[in-house]
Amino acid sequence: MTAERRLRPVDLARLAGVTTQQIRNYEDAGVLPGAGRTESGYRTFGEVHRRAVLAYRALAKGYGPVPAARIMRTLHAGDVPGALALVDAAHAALHEERAALHATGEALEALTGDTTAPPRPGGLRIGEVAALLGVRTSALRVWESAGLVTPGRERGTGYRIYGPAAVRDARIVHSLRAGHYLFRQIRPVLDELRREGGSRQALRAALAARAETLTARTRAMLAGAGRLYDYLDGPEGPGDLGRPTADATTTGSTAGGPGPSAR
């Protein structure tokens, strides 16, 4: 590292818009590659550290601080494929959230278009619900075992009794299963509807707000991934760990990450 590129903790903190203590914390946590040291023992940083802190802070906005720190630590441990796998996993999880949101919207439309008369005040028995939906009673029992539909029990006989909410849930499950949704994708739909007290208008508003949140997160994740690419692809970045070089001797953190030359 040349003298012109050498930065004190306070210099790096100003460039990144954080406190000097945060810079120290980032290095101690492995979020930054190891710093160099002056003869007096003071930390010195460089361009690679500036890119690293910008990458972490951008990742934290989209992926969250904990996953972002895990990604950076994995990079600085020399495992670039492992770090990228963490990025992939975060995007896959976001995709699952979008799929659940889509399923909820489909279920809401199914409810809106349902003109079937509601069950009688005393509730319906399992055979009646099966006939109403055109499914086997065994399917209703499976949905109950999975915790998707919760009928009551008739006093004295112990027979299952499906009230309005249970019939509604059974209709939603039936609709989504016909669309090849899995139980784990259906459960959040029912949870969301119950959270809104069964109100379709409230659920529709909640879905719109959730869609906006997911869109904002996607944009933030893209920005974070761009910063991460800049860090990986730049000089002295973690991407160098996977490239053959003429001089294989580097110094950095004890985790094997990139860093400035020795003091």
Side-chain angles (χ1 to χ4, degrees):
M1 182 186 302
T2 63
E4 290 75 18
R5 296 178 61 195
R6 189 169 295 171
L7 302 170
R8 300 169 300 168
V10 66
D11 300 324
L12 183 58
R14 287 170 180 163
L15 287 172
V18 299
T19 67
T20 305
Q21 186 57 50
Q22 280 179 289
I23 293 297
R24 298 189 186 100
N25 292 343
Y26 289 162
E27 190 206 356
D28 292 341
V31 167
L32 297 182
R37 296 281 177 170
T38 66
E39 292 183 0
S40 303
Y42 292 106
R43 290 177 172 91
T44 60
F45 298 98
E47 173 61 19
V48 67
H49 298 92
R50 186 190 70 83
R51 294 201 317 274
V53 71
L54 291 178
Y56 167 71
R57 288 180 62 78
L59 287 171
K61 289 179 181 178
Y63 298 77
V66 173
R70 189 177 299 123
I71 290 168
M72 298 300 287
R73 282 197 300 269
T74 304
L75 283 178
H76 298 145
D79 185 5
V80 175
L84 296 180
L86 292 173
V87 173
D88 292 342
H91 284 272
L94 183 63
H95 175 72
E96 284 290 321
E97 290 188 52
R98 284 194 182 280
L101 186 70
H102 182 70
T104 306
E106 288 194 350
L108 181 61
E109 292 307 313
L111 283 174
T112 301
D114 187 3
T115 58
T116 306
R120 61 177 177 270
L124 301 179
R125 290 189 174 178
I126 189 170
E128 294 173 308
V129 177
L132 181 67
L133 300 181
V135 300
R136 296 176 182 271
T137 56
S138 59
L140 289 167
R141 292 190 181 96
V142 170
W143 299 347
E144 181 183 350
S145 297
L148 300 177
V149 181
T150 309
R153 292 285 178 169
E154 190 176 62
R155 187 175 300 174
T157 65
Y159 290 143
R160 292 174 174 84
I161 291 294
Y162 291 75
V167 173
R168 178 204 65 202
D169 291 349
R171 285 172 174 158
I172 291 175
V173 174
H174 179 236
S175 174
L176 295 182
R177 288 296 287 166
H180 306 290
Y181 285 96
L182 303 175
F183 286 169
R184 62 181 174 81
Q185 295 171 313
I186 296 173
R187 190 169 289 108
V189 176
L190 297 171
D191 290 343
E192 192 72 32
L193 185 60
R194 291 163 186 159
R195 189 177 301 117
E196 299 301 334
S199 167
R200 299 176 191 181
Q201 184 175 356
L203 179 57
R204 189 174 283 108
L207 290 180
R210 183 63 179 157
E212 290 181 4
T213 298
L214 291 182
T215 297
R217 264 185 63 197
T218 299
R219 294 174 65 91
M221 289 171 79
L222 286 174
R227 284 289 189 182
L228 183 65
Y229 177 82
D230 290 342
Y231 180 46
L232 277 169
D233 207 48
E236 300 183 70
D240 288 337
L241 294 171
R243 303 183 188 126
T245 58
D247 181 7
T249 303
T250 60
T251 61
S253 69
T254 55
S261 57
R263 57 180 174 168

